[in-house]
Amino acid sequence: MISLRYHIVSIAACFLALAIGVVLGSTALNGSLLSGLASQKEDLGSQVADLEAQRNSLNARLGDADAFAGAMGPKVVAGQLDKRSVVLVTTEDAKPADRDALKQLVGQAGASVTGEIQLTEAFSDPMRSDQLRDVVSRLQPAGVQFPTAGDPGTLAGALIGSVALLNKDNAQPQSTPVELAAALGGLTDGGFLKTGGDVKPAQLAIVLTGSKYTGDGAGDRASTIARFAAQLDRSGAGTVLAGDAGSADGTGAIGVVRADTSSTSILSTVDNAETAAGRVTTIMALREQLEGGAGRYGIAGNAQAPAPGIAAAGN
């Protein structure tokens, strides 16, 4: 007769055998698996090293190309803006180094910078759009007609354009010095801009921005700057909106302009102003503006060409 003890011992022996089998099987499997993973890791490591080497090589080439553009830039732009005048407008995120380099290049092109205007963060803040609209409306110069569009970017562009830009037909001021001082002073008191010393009316304008906007209201901020630049262009002999590659994205000012055919037909944009090549392109685009042309330049996917007169790759 089989006792209970016999059953217990038999069951225990079965579980012990099963456990031993699992351990032995998993040991063999783990060894094979680990060997395969080690091989894959080695292959991936080799691929990463190759990609890093390619990246470093490309970065070196880009650095050399930009250094060449920086060295040749003054010769390329020499005389392009001879005896012209430019007002330089920057957004709050524009890099001071880019601004200074662009300002120097404007001088090397034969033009003079008649003033610098820095738009503050409040200028494009959606929460302060009504306040900006009210301030601009109160500062409207006598005899100057503003566009019917009621958005603050367009209205601010009309105001600053009427006081900081010369008439495109006769190169004469569109407002009095008193109206210029009142407009810039009122916007400064409202916290919407800052000025770098005296500002005198100019024929042309450069609006220098940074990258794309992020966070709440990013699209509204980008639209305000885009519409401001477009209206500034309508007020004078020509305007170029320049920024870095991020500014050509959907929440960047350049990206907004390039998505609007009515703006791209008049306003030139350059999306790589953080490079020497992009700054040279900005000067060339200003020259094209004087001749009645406009274009989308730079390296972003929505650019039409690297620079005026240069066909895009593949064309």
Side-chain angles (χ1 to χ4, degrees), residues 80-142:
Q80 291 289 311
L81 301 176
D82 191 34
K83 298 179 181 178
R84 304 291 183 173
S85 53
V86 179
V87 64
L88 183 58
V89 182
T90 58
T91 63
E92 81 284 353
D93 63 337
K95 299 179 180 67
D98 296 341
R99 176 204 62 205
D100 294 343
L102 193 54
K103 182 179 177 181
Q104 181 179 12
L105 203 59
V106 167
Q108 292 167 335
S112 59
V113 175
T114 61
E116 296 181 48
I117 299 172
Q118 182 184 0
L119 307 180
T120 66
E121 185 177 0
F123 184 90
S124 61
D125 186 354
M127 300 298 292
R128 298 194 62 183
S129 60
D130 289 340
Q131 183 182 355
L132 175 59
R133 186 185 296 107
D134 292 341
V135 170
V136 168
S137 298
R138 286 190 281 105
L139 295 171
Q140 183 174 355

Side-chain angles (χ1 to χ4, degrees), residues 14-91:
C14 289
F15 277 110
L16 179 60
L18 179 62
I20 292 173
V22 169
V23 171
L24 292 176
S26 63
T27 301
L29 179 62
N30 285 341
S32 176
L33 180 61
L34 290 175
S35 177
L37 290 174
S39 177
Q40 291 181 23
K41 180 181 178 182
E42 184 177 351
D43 291 341
L44 289 173
S46 178
Q47 293 179 33
V48 169
D50 290 342
L51 290 173
E52 288 180 343
Q54 292 178 29
R55 181 198 63 188
N56 292 337
S57 177
L58 289 173
N59 285 339
R61 292 182 183 181
L62 287 173
D64 290 342
D66 203 48
F68 178 78
M72 296 300 297
K75 296 181 180 180
V76 172
V77 304
Q80 291 289 311
L81 301 176
D82 191 34
K83 298 179 181 178
R84 304 291 183 173
S85 53
V86 179
V87 64
L88 183 58
V89 182
T90 58
T91 63

Side-chain angles (χ1 to χ4, degrees), residues 188-283:
T188 299
D189 291 342
F192 296 110
L193 60 79
K194 301 175 183 178
T195 58
D198 293 335
V199 177
K200 297 180 180 179
Q203 295 170 295
L204 302 163
I206 297 174
V207 179
L208 179 64
T209 187
S211 187
K212 63 183 178 181
Y213 289 96
T214 59
D216 295 339
D220 292 332
R221 285 184 177 275
S223 294
T224 297
I225 300 301
R227 291 168 179 168
F228 166 80
Q231 186 58 42
L232 205 62
D233 192 12
R234 297 183 181 98
S235 302
T239 296
V240 174
L241 173 61
D244 66 25
S247 63
D249 291 349
T251 57
I254 289 178
V256 173
V257 169
R258 290 179 176 177
D260 179 9
T261 54
S262 64
S263 295
T264 55
S265 64
I266 59 169
L267 177 65
S268 292
T269 53
V270 178
D271 62 44
N272 59 336
E274 78 276 19
T275 67
R279 293 189 285 271
V280 170
T281 299
T282 300
I283 302 301

